[in-house]
Amino acid sequence: MFIYAGKSLARYGFGNDHPLGSDRFDTFWHAFQQSTLPEQCTIRTPVQGSADDARLFHTTEYVERVRQLSSQGAGMLDADTPVFPGIFEAALVVVGSVLDGAAEIVAGNTTQAFVPIAGLHHASRGSSAGFCVFNDCAIAIEALRQRHGIKRILYVDIDAHHGDGVYYAFEEDPDLFFIDLHEDGRHLFPGTGDSNERGTGPARGTKLNIPLPPGAQDREFFQHWPAISRFLDRIQPEFIILQCGADCLAGDPITHLKLSDQVHYQTARRLAEYARICCDGRLLALGGGGYNRANIARGWLQTIRGLLDA
Ligand code: V1S
Ligand code: ZN
């Protein structure tokens, strides 16, 4: 498995007064190095992405707006996403690393890759949202299609927040399969992801939105897996993307789910086993949210363990 790690990925952070602080990468990296996982992984240097990479999904106008604000070095992209000097380049490192991971998997140089910090699932084609400048999940989906000829993709998201930027961009796309377990939008940003949002037009039934009540524990999370298994049984993806946000774990300061890191381990393991059957094991995992520092380490490391154990 490839793990993307290096200082340039750590630049994507909004300072220590913001939930998505700049110390999140170091927290992960320290815990990873203390574990036995490095023996089983290949460490890859993060890759600087380009404006053209971002334009695989985002509009030129939006990409240029980020570039401009970044050079000014101050302001707000949206109510949650402050600008810092170099935010454009920092956001493009996340994009470049995710695209490199996808390309390495497609090339057959690895079957699995993990990119911490990535999984910025709220940005839409024309705007940022909720700490997310460029939507690396959606950019990876577009790159798999436009650059690698891979059409049928499964996107799974266990971040506490609904992956609205991915869902709405591909709501009408019958070849983008989508499973998202999240805290009920009546209680948490971004307010979407009701269970009746199942895709529209030709894509009806290709999406599974599973809202969980605030305070939900593992039992409520795993109770949905028989339905998830039935869904997986009737699709044949060629590639799997897992957004494994750690903000669904008990003790997160901005969400209210009370899950344990078993959800990360089991989700990763089950999906990796499924990937071996349907798509030669091809799975790209993206870190996502997580604002309790100990939880970031736990959730992301358990994801890596689950992927390796499969
Ligand atoms: N949930 C939540 C949350 N918490 C904050 C926040 C808290 C303290 C701050 F100093 C600044 C922001 N904002 C939010 C959400 C956005 C959550 C984004 C999660 C990202 C991800 O984990 O899914 C993927 C990386 N925004 C809101 O709730 C909106 C507001 C309604 C409240 C906060 N103010 C700052 C903006 C408007
Ligand atoms: Zn989140």
Side-chain angles (χ1 to χ4, degrees), residues 23-256:
D23 57 328
R24 292 169 79 247
F25 172 78
D26 286 345
T27 304
F28 159 72
W29 186 235
H30 180 74
F32 178 78
Q33 285 179 307
Q34 296 294 306
S35 75
T36 56
L37 292 170
E39 295 160 24
Q40 300 171 74
C41 299
T42 302
I43 307 307
R44 299 277 299 191
T45 304
V47 175
Q48 180 70 53
S50 67
D52 279 346
D53 292 336
R55 275 197 291 265
L56 284 164
F57 175 68
H58 294 287
T59 63
T60 300
E61 293 68 27
Y62 173 60
V63 174
E64 291 312 312
R65 182 169 164 247
V66 179
R67 194 202 297 267
Q68 164 91 43
L69 279 169
S70 177
S71 63
Q72 286 172 13
M76 294 296 281
L77 272 159
D78 62 77
D80 280 304
T81 318
V83 172
F84 58 85
I87 189 172
F88 182 67
E89 291 75 17
L92 285 177
V93 171
V94 179
V95 171
S97 303
V98 169
L99 294 185
D100 194 71
E104 292 287 358
I105 293 171
V106 174
N109 296 329
T110 182
T111 55
Q112 303 174 333
F114 175 70
V115 189
I117 313 299
L120 303 174
H121 57 177
H122 296 305
S124 66
R125 291 191 191 273
S127 58
S128 68
F131 318 163
C132 304
V133 177
F134 295 134
N135 191 328
D136 53 274
C137 322
I139 293 170
I141 292 166
E142 291 290 359
L144 286 166
R145 267 115 179 244
Q146 296 177 38
R147 293 181 176 169
H148 303 292
I150 291 178
K151 204 168 140 194
R152 295 168 66 84
I153 300 161
L154 168 64
Y155 173 84
V156 181
D157 187 326
I158 61 168
D159 189 287
H161 301 93
H162 178 234
D164 56 344
V166 178
Y167 179 80
Y168 292 111
F170 298 99
E171 192 178 20
E172 287 184 57
D173 184 328
D175 294 315
L176 193 278
F177 306 102
F178 179 97
I179 302 172
D180 193 321
L181 298 113
H182 50 271
E183 184 173 335
D184 193 321
R186 287 173 297 185
H187 306 277
L188 191 74
F189 178 92
T192 51
D194 192 87
S195 56
N196 67 16
E197 297 194 271
R198 301 219 48 194
T200 54
R204 181 124 201 94
T206 60
K207 323 281 185 253
L208 208 49
N209 274 302
I210 305 178
L212 300 168
Q217 299 187 10
D218 290 11
R219 191 180 50 77
E220 283 139 298
F221 180 92
F222 288 116
Q223 146 187 316
H224 294 283
W225 274 82
I228 292 172
S229 294
R230 287 194 295 277
F231 180 89
L232 295 177
D233 283 346
R234 65 177 176 79
I235 61 172
Q236 293 227 303
E238 300 162 80
F239 195 103
I240 299 175
I241 298 173
L242 168 62
Q243 199 272 24
C244 57
D247 51 7
C248 58
L249 296 177
D252 189 89
I254 70 168
T255 72
H256 317 96

